[in-house]
């Protein structure tokens, strides 16, 4: 494991760290460096139970409520995140915090767990300038600012949120339920099961935000959509959340504008 950064979370000021693990054999991502963003002072499982994961996940709806109830995040924190946290606590890492070229000639998956917006944008700019390519996603797209838009996808779970993110200039990565169709401007992730695993993220690298600082006007690449693929319970929650968000948007748009 390589330790890349330690410091206060941009989201709430709690101590967090960024670490990288090499040699991933994930079927969908292919051989990418996996980058983890974790609390430095609380075990990831405890952080979920106490809500302290807000430091690394912000207001992501997949965290659930009241200590992880209804959590539908696809990352099981008791596995890889717990192992990374244990290695950090035991100081079993190669300290690369001062190595700007830590991603030299590598392909990187930012946020194997944790949201990149928990870490200052300049850290990512410095490090990614040496990488071959990357993928990155943030649920903090309403607050993270334009700098994150230039290298992250907005993670959304409904068509209504996707439209809002587009208006704010983001490209989107949308997780859809079975009743939600592929929208105009979206393509199905080519590495997904539904697309027949045509490629890997390491080769595709479409999920790297905006290639133009001018936002969507300067980048005509498609948005990405994928079917929810988690446990049956998480899948049901995901579907319910998408339907509720889209139904709310429909009702809101049908209501007359409020008058003072
Ligand atoms: S669209 Fe490409 S980069 Fe994005 S998740 Fe799918 S394979 Fe990975």
């Amino acid at each position: 494991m390589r330790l890349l950064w330690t410091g206060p979370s941009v989201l709430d000021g709690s101590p967090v760290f960024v670490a990288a693990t090499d040699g991933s054999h994930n079927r969908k991502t292919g051989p990418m460096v996996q980058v983890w963003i974790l609390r430095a002072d609380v075990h990831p499982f405890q952080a979920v139970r106490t809500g302290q994961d807000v430091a690394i996940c912000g207001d992501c709806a997949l965290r659930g409520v009241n200590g992880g109830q209804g959590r539908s995040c696809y990352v099981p924190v008791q596995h890889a995140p717990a192992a990374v946290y244990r290695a950090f606590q035991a100081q079993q890492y190669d300290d690369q915090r001062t190595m700007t070229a830590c991603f030299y000639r590598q392909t990187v998956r930012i946020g194997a767990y944790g949201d990149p917006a928990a870490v200052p944008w300049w850290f990512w700019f410095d490090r990614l300038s040496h990488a071959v390519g990357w993928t990155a996603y943030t649920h903090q797209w309403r607050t993270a600012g334009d700098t994150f838009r230039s290298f992250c996808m907005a993670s959304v779970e409904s068509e209504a949120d996707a439209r809002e993110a587009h208006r704010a200039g983001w490209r989107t990565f949308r997780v859809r339920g079975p009743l939600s169709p592929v929208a105009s401007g979206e393509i199905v992730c080519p590495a997904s099961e539904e697309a027949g695993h045509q490629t890997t993220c390491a080769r595709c690298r479409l999920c790297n935000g905006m290639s133009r600082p001018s936002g969507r006007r300067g980048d005509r690449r498609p948005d990405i959509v994928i079917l929810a693929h988690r446990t049956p319970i998480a899948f049901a929650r995901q579907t319910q959340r998408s339907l509720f968000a889209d139904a709310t948007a429909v009702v809101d748009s049908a209501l007359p504008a409020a008058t003072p």
Side-chain angles (χ1 to χ4, degrees):
M1 183 179 104
R2 299 185 277 146
L3 181 66
L4 306 185
W5 186 81
T6 51
S9 164
V10 172
L11 301 175
D12 79 343
S14 303
V16 298
F17 70 94
V18 178
T21 54
D22 304 296
S24 164
H25 299 292
N26 183 297
R27 179 180 180 185
K28 177 172 174 289
T29 65
M32 298 179 87
V33 175
Q34 307 287 320
V35 176
W36 310 86
I37 303 153
L38 293 169
R39 281 195 69 123
D41 57 339
V42 184
H43 188 283
F45 188 70
Q46 183 71 5
V48 168
R49 293 289 297 271
T50 59
Q52 291 169 292
D53 58 343
V54 71
I56 52 123
C57 297
D59 62 0
C60 174
L62 307 186
R63 291 172 55 225
V65 295
N66 297 332
Q69 290 174 35
R71 184 177 191 270
S72 55
C73 175
Y74 64 91
V75 181
V77 290
Q78 70 274 26
H79 296 145
V84 171
Y85 179 77
R86 281 197 302 273
F88 173 74
Q89 287 296 326
Q91 300 184 10
Q92 292 173 340
Y93 50 72
D94 177 7
D95 191 343
Q96 297 187 354
R97 280 178 289 182
T98 58
M99 188 185 296
T100 310
C102 59
F103 296 144
Y104 181 64
R105 290 191 171 180
Q106 294 181 316
T107 310
V108 184
R109 179 188 180 206
I110 301 175
Y113 182 54
D115 194 303
V119 177
W121 63 268
W122 51 260
F123 167 81
W124 300 117
F125 272 40
D126 282 353
R127 271 55 178 183
L128 291 176
S129 64
H130 299 272
V132 171
W134 66 87
T135 60
Y137 312 85
T138 179
H139 275 95
Q140 317 308 308
W141 50 270
R142 287 188 175 92
T143 55
D146 293 355
T147 45
F148 281 88
R149 196 177 68 181
S150 68
F151 67 95
C152 292
M153 306 295 281
S155 278
V156 296
E157 280 84 38
S158 71
E159 292 178 63
D161 279 358
R163 285 192 293 272
E164 183 183 340
H166 295 161
R167 285 195 294 274
W170 291 79
R171 290 178 62 229
T172 53
F173 182 91
R174 181 168 70 91
V175 178
R176 70 182 175 106
L179 302 179
S180 176
V182 177
S184 169
E186 289 179 336
I187 63 165
V188 172
C189 164
S192 65
E193 190 174 339
E194 59 188 301
H197 301 294
Q198 296 168 33
T199 186
T200 62
C201 296
R203 284 198 221 112
C204 168
R205 306 199 294 263
L206 262 177
C207 291
N208 61 0
M210 284 291 171
S211 61
R212 299 280 186 281
S214 54
R216 291 183 66 81
R217 283 192 309 280
D219 189 336
R220 299 285 178 195
R221 291 179 301 162
D223 300 299
I224 311 299
V225 67
I226 194 168
L227 266 176
H229 64 282
R230 298 179 285 268
T231 63
I233 291 176
F235 184 83
R237 285 181 189 138
Q238 171 63 50
T239 303
Q240 193 177 33
R241 185 178 297 111
S242 304
L243 287 172
F244 180 75
D246 287 333
T248 303
V250 168
V251 170
D252 284 349
S253 65
L255 288 172
T259 50

